Amino acid sequence: MVRQKNRYLLVQFEFEPDILQSCEDVMAITTSSSSGSKKRKLPSSADNSSLSSIETIKAIQQVNATDIYRSLQEAIMQNFGLVGTCTSVQVRLYDPKARLAIIKTTRDKYPQVRSCLTFLTEIKQGVDSLKVVASTIAVSGSARTARNAVWDEMKKRFFARDFSGGEQWTNMSRVAMEKELQELEECLDKIDSGC
């Protein structure tokens, strides 16, 4: 009997408010460094009211693995048709706080899944749809190496915030982050047992 070989894709999801905020930060840095330039404001659909931006943030926090799976299946159907829908895809983990997902697929079909992740522009959540950019951070051959890749990414984010010149960790925020990392580690242990 031939063993089924899988690939695990570590995917980061960036939603529209995050992207607009980072663009505004870059624009603020470039306009403050150049003395004679005028400030430009980026157009945003969330600028209409603060209520809509709060609703968008709440909707982003409620995104789950099922929403990602359905949107990914729809992207596969649009790009590869009925042949593409035969691909075996599972969203093994989605962490809404870190906005990271582990997607499991077969070794033969992972290039198709990875390209569809590139074309994924929105995640449908019920009636609403949220604009998103999905980028593949790592591709692993086993659940253990995928778990290690997620753990390394989380440590990198933890230490980047710790040593950056911007916000410093308070004791309460450090304890909260360590608790979140511990919860994430428990979820990652379930990935190994579920495969």
Side-chain angles (χ1 to χ4, degrees):
M1 188 162 97
V2 177
R3 183 173 74 104
Q4 179 71 33
K5 296 182 180 177
N6 297 313
R7 291 291 178 256
Y8 296 83
L9 287 83
L10 175 60
V11 181
Q12 177 181 0
F13 291 94
E14 296 179 37
F15 293 92
E16 184 180 27
D18 302 330
I19 295 169
L20 290 176
Q21 180 64 38
S22 65
C23 289
E24 287 174 1
D25 292 344
V26 169
M27 290 296 292
I29 291 170
T30 57
T31 55
S32 66
S33 64
S34 61
S35 58
S37 63
K38 297 178 182 177
K39 286 191 175 182
R40 290 181 288 171
K41 185 163 174 84
L42 294 172
S44 170
S45 60
D47 284 343
N48 297 337
S49 69
S50 61
L51 183 63
S52 66
S53 65
I54 292 171
E55 291 173 357
T56 303
I57 291 170
K58 286 182 181 178
I60 289 171
Q61 292 171 348
Q62 293 175 354
V63 170
N64 58 21
T66 306
D67 296 331
I68 293 172
Y69 173 77
R70 287 183 184 144
S71 298
L72 183 59
Q73 282 293 91
E74 185 177 314
I76 291 171
M77 178 68 172
Q78 287 177 354
N79 293 310
F80 295 102
L82 290 175
V83 174
T85 57
C86 297
T87 60
S88 171
V89 176
Q90 296 176 352
V91 179
R92 302 294 294 177
L93 169 79
Y94 176 69
D95 185 24
K97 294 175 186 170
R99 297 181 182 151
L100 292 173
I102 295 179
I103 298 175
K104 177 182 174 184
T105 186
T106 61
R107 185 179 67 172
D108 298 336
K109 300 291 183 177
Y110 106 87
Q112 290 179 354
V113 174
R114 190 171 181 179
S115 65
C116 285
L117 281 168
T118 304
F119 295 130
L120 185 66
T121 58
E122 63 183 18
I123 292 179
K124 292 187 178 169
Q125 186 181 31
V127 180
D128 300 330
S129 65
L130 302 167
K131 293 187 179 184
V132 69
V133 173
S135 48
T136 305
I137 298 174
V139 178
S140 305
S142 69
R144 180 180 51 87
T145 55
R147 184 188 69 211
N148 293 343
V150 171
W151 193 245
D152 289 342
E153 180 67 24
M154 291 303 295
K155 284 195 301 188
K156 184 169 60 172
R157 290 181 183 187
F158 180 78
F159 289 119
R161 183 174 174 190
D162 195 27
F163 295 120
S164 68
E167 305 178 42
Q168 293 295 320
W169 287 96
T170 63
N171 286 336
M172 289 179 62
S173 63
R174 184 180 295 272
V175 169
M177 183 64 172
E178 288 173 355
K179 183 179 176 184
E180 288 177 20
L181 287 174
Q182 196 172 30
E183 291 172 1
L184 180 64
E185 188 174 12
E186 291 171 4
C187 290
L188 291 174
D189 288 338
K190 292 177 187 175
I191 289 175
D192 269 346
S193 62
C195 295

